[in-house]
Amino acid sequence: MSTSYRIGLVGKPSVGKSSFFNAATMNDVPEGAYPFTTIDPSVGEAYVRVDCAAPEFDEECTPNVGYCDHGTRFVPTKLVDVAGLIPGAHEGNGLGNQFLSDLNETDVLVHVVDFSGETDLEGEPTEGHDPRKDIAFLEEELDQWYLGVLEKGIDRYASGYTTEDDAIEEELAVQMSAFKTNEDEIKRLIRRTDVGFDPEGWEDADKLELAREIRKETKPMVIAANKMDTPEAQDNYEEITNDPEYEHLTIVPCSAHAEKALKSADQAGVVDYRPGDEDFEIVGDISDEQEQGLEQIRDFLSEYGASGVQAAIETALFDVLEVTPVFPGGANGLGNERGEVLPDCYLIPPNSTAEDFAYSLHSDIGDGFLHAIDCRSNRQLGKDYEVESRDVIEVITTN
């Protein structure tokens, strides 16, 4: 029950973005080292891991969606693989406009970057390309896109099309509503950038700074440092993560290739592997060559703690968006009238209250909210109780 969050996979062509998508969702999107392999945004189901609450009650859960594996609940979320972006997308280059409108459907971005430096800015094969250029170019493209929309709002405001009483933040909130922003947020960001509330006094640099702040707030980003199973990528990763200029970024080392190989081997019964784990067990008959390949993957997992695909998705939801996983309890503690045990795990916004949680279950349940019950302690919770990660909560409602 977590499909309201959508993670956008972005990046230039040929960086392993489709491989990352396939590894995360095990869908068969065409993979190819050439631009525009992915033309329509592919939407797949990926999973985030949550420690299941059922074992604490000596119960075994029966998930409606996702699955549970040895006490780890795999809760579904949506992953959107967007067409590869090339320089000038905000001016309509490549599939620019399509790319940018697809992004509007997402809550947080995972920027897949080829840290091996084997692809240039257009996604063509090369050697020694600096991944920093990719990080910068994508942020600049998004900033320019936001700036274009921001300037339309400024023009409307300047034209006197709005009433004299309207403040600039109201006009910008209307103009930029597709980015899921609002008047209060725009007002806060105008204050943060200190550009003042009179757009006539804004220089070009002020407009760009405000556009960038709105972009960072509404499209936060995680960098998936892909192809980290190559020595070149490891050197670049070391250099970039030690560069103070990149301290503001969340960078997750990853190998989409390793994750895909392990999941395929697991499905074929060759290995026993659980997504996100730092090791696996070989359980089938394999050739010496296959064993050698798997041992190389094992070395990589051992070095970085996991393949990084699962970590990038979870970092986006749990660390960047600070989403809270909550289990709805039932009238007899954990179960519902159908005898299911903790069938659902909801992913809800940070700082949600018990009443907010009731509304996320159903608007009628929220409308009739009386109180909630903490199924661990049997304590009664009021509507303003702030829900915590992995709470098991029963909602008492008149509806």
Side-chain angles (χ1 to χ4, degrees):
M1 301 303 301
S2 59
T3 49
S4 54
Y5 285 99
R6 290 165 80 92
I7 300 169
L9 267 193
V10 296
K12 68 184 188 187
S14 314
V15 294
K17 193 161 56 66
S18 291
S19 301
F20 185 109
F21 179 84
N22 287 345
T25 61
M26 286 306 272
N27 287 0
D28 291 317
V29 166
E31 294 173 22
Y34 48 90
F36 310 133
T37 313
T38 314
I39 293 187
D40 297 319
S42 301
V43 181
E45 199 166 72
Y47 297 90
V48 290
R49 293 168 298 171
V50 177
D51 286 341
C52 187
E56 295 174 46
F57 298 85
D58 294 325
E59 294 272 8
E60 205 168 302
C61 69
T62 49
N64 268 337
V65 291
Y67 62 99
C68 200
D69 185 350
H70 293 86
T72 297
R73 192 76 167 247
F74 285 79
V75 183
T77 188
K78 287 281 188 280
L79 196 59
V80 183
D81 180 15
V82 185
L85 186 67
I86 62 170
H90 70 276
E91 295 164 341
N93 291 352
L95 298 170
N97 296 330
Q98 181 61 42
F99 167 92
L100 297 169
S101 59
D102 291 339
L103 274 199
N104 265 348
E105 303 300 311
T106 63
D107 301 293
V108 62
L109 305 179
V110 172
H111 180 192
V112 182
V113 177
D114 175 1
F115 260 55
S116 72
E118 289 172 358
T119 42
D120 66 16
L121 278 177
E122 305 278 344
E124 301 295 341
T126 187
E127 280 178 22
H129 178 74
D130 188 345
R132 278 176 269 225
K133 290 181 178 170
D134 296 350
I135 295 170
F137 123 78
L138 188 114
E139 292 196 338
E140 282 160 16
E141 283 297 331
L142 295 181
D143 291 345
Q144 290 296 330
W145 173 39
Y146 270 67
L147 178 62
V149 181
L150 178 87
E151 285 180 328
K152 283 182 190 160
I154 295 170
D155 290 347
R156 265 176 67 96
Y157 182 77
S159 71
Y161 184 80
T162 54
T163 68
E164 279 182 30
D165 296 339
D166 281 353
I168 182 62
E169 64 267 24
E170 289 175 49
E171 187 56 55
L172 293 182
V174 171
Q175 189 65 43
M176 306 189 85
S177 59
F179 298 126
K180 299 178 186 168
T181 187
N182 57 52
E183 201 181 312
D184 290 341
E185 187 168 63
I186 300 266
K187 199 171 187 174
R188 180 165 55 80
L189 295 175
I190 288 175
R191 286 208 178 98
R192 185 195 290 174
T193 51
D194 202 23
V195 294
F197 284 85
D198 178 11
E200 278 187 22
W202 291 354
E203 306 282 340
D204 287 349
D206 296 330
K207 294 174 192 174
L208 181 59
E209 189 188 359
L210 181 57
R212 182 179 295 125
E213 284 303 313
I214 298 170
R215 187 264 302 169
K216 281 155 76 174
E217 202 77 9
T218 58
K219 288 282 175 280
M221 196 181 308
V222 172
I223 305 291
N226 197 26
K227 305 189 184 178
M228 281 292 292
D229 42 4
T230 64
E232 296 84 1
Q234 291 166 14
D235 291 345
N236 284 329
Y237 176 78
E238 196 66 30
E239 214 175 289
I240 291 171
T241 51
N242 285 316
D243 185 338
E245 250 187 80
Y246 292 86
E247 275 175 1
H248 68 289
L249 289 175
T250 304
I251 303 177
V252 179
C254 100
S255 167
H257 159 76
E259 180 74 3
K260 184 81 189 295
L262 286 173
K263 279 189 173 172
S264 299
D266 182 71
Q267 286 185 349
V270 172
V271 303
D272 189 3
Y273 170 69
R274 190 171 67 168
D277 279 2
E278 58 188 35
D279 203 0
F280 58 89
E281 189 184 347
I282 298 174
V283 291
D285 294 330
I286 52 173
S287 68
D288 291 348
E289 197 182 346
Q290 285 173 312
E291 185 172 0
Q292 198 180 345
L294 284 169
E295 289 306 330
Q296 283 175 345
I297 291 176
R298 197 193 300 276
D299 290 344
F300 173 76
L301 297 190
S302 161
E303 175 72 22
Y304 291 99
S307 79
V309 170
Q310 196 64 42
I313 293 167
E314 288 167 358
T315 298
L317 276 195
F318 294 139
D319 296 352
V320 174
L321 292 184
E322 297 181 338
V323 168
T324 306
V326 186
F327 297 92
N332 57 349
L334 300 194
N336 58 22
E337 63 280 1
R338 293 188 296 279
E340 298 166 327
V341 175
L342 294 187
D344 298 309
C345 178
Y346 280 71
L347 301 179
I348 63 175
N351 310 316
S352 293
T353 62
E355 186 178 41
D356 294 333
F357 176 56
Y359 274 108
S360 72
L361 297 172
H362 197 282
S363 56
D364 289 349
I365 294 174
D367 288 343
F369 181 88
L370 293 172
H371 61 265
I373 295 170
D374 179 332
C375 294
R376 287 189 177 91
S377 63
N378 286 325
R379 191 164 55 97
Q380 189 169 306
L381 308 170
K383 67 176 185 175
D384 295 329
Y385 166 77
E386 198 167 296
V387 176
E388 294 181 5
S389 178
R390 298 183 60 255
D391 270 350
V392 183
I393 293 177
E394 182 192 347
V395 174
I396 309 300
T397 175
T398 56
N399 298 326

